[in-house]
Amino acid sequence: MAWRDRGVLPPGLPFPSPAFTFLWWKFPYPLLEDSQRRYGDTFTLRLAGLPPVVMFSNPEVVRQVFLDDGTTMEAGRFNRSLAVLLGERSVLMTDGRTHARKRKLLMPPFHGARMQAYARAMLDLSDRAIDAFPRSAAFSLHPFMQEVTLRVIVRTIFGALARVEDKLVAQLGEVLDVGTSISLLIPALRRNLWGRSPYARFMAASREADRTLFADIRARRESGERGDDVLSLLLDARDEDGEPMPDDELRDELVTRRGAGPETTAPALTGAVRWIVERPAVLARLRAELPPDKCGDPAAIEKSPWLDAIVREALRLQPVIPLVGRVLARPVSLGGWDLPEGVAVACSIYLAQRRPEIYTDPTEFDPARFLGRGKPSAAFGASELFPFGGGIRRCIGMAFALYEMKMVLARLFARTDLEIAHRPVKVARRSITMVPKHGLRVRLSRREPRPTPPGA
Ligand code: HEM
């Protein structure tokens, strides 16, 4: 089919070769850079077994994509391959009115007592992970970050399910780890193979976790038990006809948060740690701004301009998701190309955030570039900085993830000194996200005891 679209779509490798497809799955960032060098700002990516994707990174085009109200560009159709991981009825898979309705229902309330509860859980769970770091041997940091982010999600989003926290964290951790196999995203490779394939193991692990989830949903519906958590809010939510959300839809939304949360925030944290450890001056300034006595104070951590700039710069230089995409529901003119209905378009987060006309020395890690440049919530989603996507599809968990990243990083660097144990640090794909290779191998050279909580 690819040859038929020649002339209609922007240039790019004309045929989807299996070797190119393999390289894309393994090394998307060098491949994006290489395609940009060969074909210019706009190019077409052809992968075996998938429709062609037209890739943009020009801020004008990105702005146009994010301004769309969902009637011309459909993200749900683009995200279809994730249904196996997140469920058919997840918000990510929907478009149009269903999407708008779900989003309204799902936007997490993020203020007051709820924030304080989140902060407490984030700091406690960071301490727990730090206490578990091996003392002298080198270790991979990412699994510790995954444990923190998964437990935070279980406690704050599933709330009362915390009574089965250990069981659920173990089950969900298994689902996330088995779910990283690329073969799950390619329908032709979803084979059972006598229960031994990644697909079979993923389905078995998901079924196991679902049993725990459904049992709790049922118990809470019957008892009327509610807490200060998202599951409680969703249990009580009613649609326009006054109907509650069916259990399987509820399950898909919880599973989406379980997947979309830790699977992105843990790599983002691991990536940020790499930059901080590699730049002593960045770390020294962080410690000067957040001395140990301030690292138990969520408000001070959240407001630290330097930590905020570090988080923004880490997500700019090494975004955890390489691109966001939409499928055209009707013909549209984008970046000088008249594109037909049914074509997939993508905005490359990676390329857009490294444009030299916007960022001086774009490949340098330099948080100072963000000092004094507004609040992150205002900046993220703009056409030059969109690690959380944008427009009507911008990440629902953005504020939560940014807050969590700050709490974990503040606590980590208040209590420890880390060294990189394996160089050079390369970046590897983990399912749809990018994470430092080998989960970032580090060594602990200092660890302080937990700080005493205020008033203790
Ligand atoms: C650093 C962490 C995170 C990053 C980098 C990230 C990134 C993204 C991106 C790029 C999108 C697609 C946006 C688009 O298509 O324009 C997205 C969507 C989404 N994210 Fe996140 N995310 C993160 C954390 C989270 C967390 C913690 C949650 C939930 C607890 C979450 C839930 C979602 C959901 C539900 C969507 C779908 C929104 C929609 O389709 O309307 N994410 N995220």
Side-chain angles (χ1 to χ4, degrees), residues 41-58:
D41 235 5
T42 304
F43 53 88
T44 303
L45 193 70
R46 292 183 178 84
L47 303 174
L50 292 172
V53 178
V54 181
M55 191 75 62
F56 295 96
S57 56
N58 181 309

Side-chain angles (χ1 to χ4, degrees), residues 132-178:
F133 287 170
R135 201 175 287 275
S136 49
F139 61 97
S140 291
L141 187 67
H142 178 265
F144 286 91
M145 292 302 178
Q146 180 167 305
E147 169 91 10
V148 173
T149 51
L150 199 48
R151 277 188 191 271
V152 166
I153 283 284
V154 168
R155 276 199 199 167
T156 60
I157 308 283
F158 299 155
L161 270 177
R163 62 185 160 217
V164 285
E165 182 177 309
D166 287 335
K167 185 173 167 195
L168 203 62
V169 167
Q171 288 173 338
L172 296 180
E174 167 82 359
V175 176
L176 287 183
D177 287 337
V178 193

Side-chain angles (χ1 to χ4, degrees), residues 66 75 79 90-94 99 103 106 153 157 253 256-258 260-262 264-266 268-269 315 319-321 323-326 349 386-398 400-402 404-405:
F66 289 165
N79 296 336
S90 151
V91 62
L92 265 150
M93 255 40 82
T94 58
H99 172 254
R103 243 187 110 94
L106 294 172
I153 283 284
I157 308 283
E253 296 310 344
T256 296
R257 280 156 195 268
R258 166 217 75 194
T264 49
T265 315
L269 274 165
L315 290 168
V320 292
I321 295 184
L323 53 87
V324 289
R326 316 283 186 251
I349 302 175
F386 52 98
F388 296 95
I392 59 160
R393 307 300 299 223
R394 192 173 76 174
C395 174
I396 284 178
M398 183 183 85
F400 185 86
L402 290 171
E404 181 173 14
M405 284 183 73

Side-chain angles (χ1 to χ4, degrees), residues 17-95:
S17 79
F20 180 82
T21 307
F22 174 78
L23 284 177
W24 165 256
W25 287 121
K26 289 297 271 184
F27 312 106
Y29 290 155
L31 232 101
L32 283 169
E33 281 170 342
D34 186 61
S35 296
Q36 192 185 44
R37 256 192 310 274
R38 281 170 195 247
Y39 306 112
D41 235 5
T42 304
F43 53 88
T44 303
L45 193 70
R46 292 183 178 84
L47 303 174
L50 292 172
V53 178
V54 181
M55 191 75 62
F56 295 96
S57 56
N58 181 309
E60 282 303 312
V61 180
V62 176
R63 197 166 302 128
Q64 197 178 335
V65 172
F66 289 165
L67 279 175
D68 185 71
D69 63 1
T71 47
T72 306
M73 305 186 195
E74 298 182 328
R77 263 169 89 188
F78 186 87
N79 296 336
R80 287 302 312 162
S81 60
L82 302 179
V84 64
L85 297 178
L86 304 176
E88 291 286 336
R89 304 176 71 167
S90 151
V91 62
L92 265 150
M93 255 40 82
T94 58
D95 283 304

Side-chain angles (χ1 to χ4, degrees), residues 258-337:
R258 166 217 75 194
E263 198 49 53
T264 49
T265 315
L269 274 165
T270 310
V273 169
R274 174 248 174 120
W275 298 116
I276 300 171
V277 172
E278 279 186 342
R279 305 283 187 289
V282 170
L283 178 56
R285 188 162 175 179
L286 177 64
R287 286 186 172 147
E289 197 164 295
L290 281 176
D293 61 312
K294 283 201 177 158
C295 281
D297 175 1
I301 297 172
E302 195 198 2
K303 290 201 184 87
S304 156
W306 189 240
L307 181 55
D308 183 61
I310 289 176
V311 169
R312 282 203 243 184
E313 178 67 344
L315 290 168
R316 178 196 72 81
L317 186 55
Q318 208 73 76
V320 292
I321 295 184
L323 53 87
V324 289
R326 316 283 186 251
V327 175
L328 300 184
R330 59 182 69 155
V332 77
S333 178
L334 268 182
W337 288 87

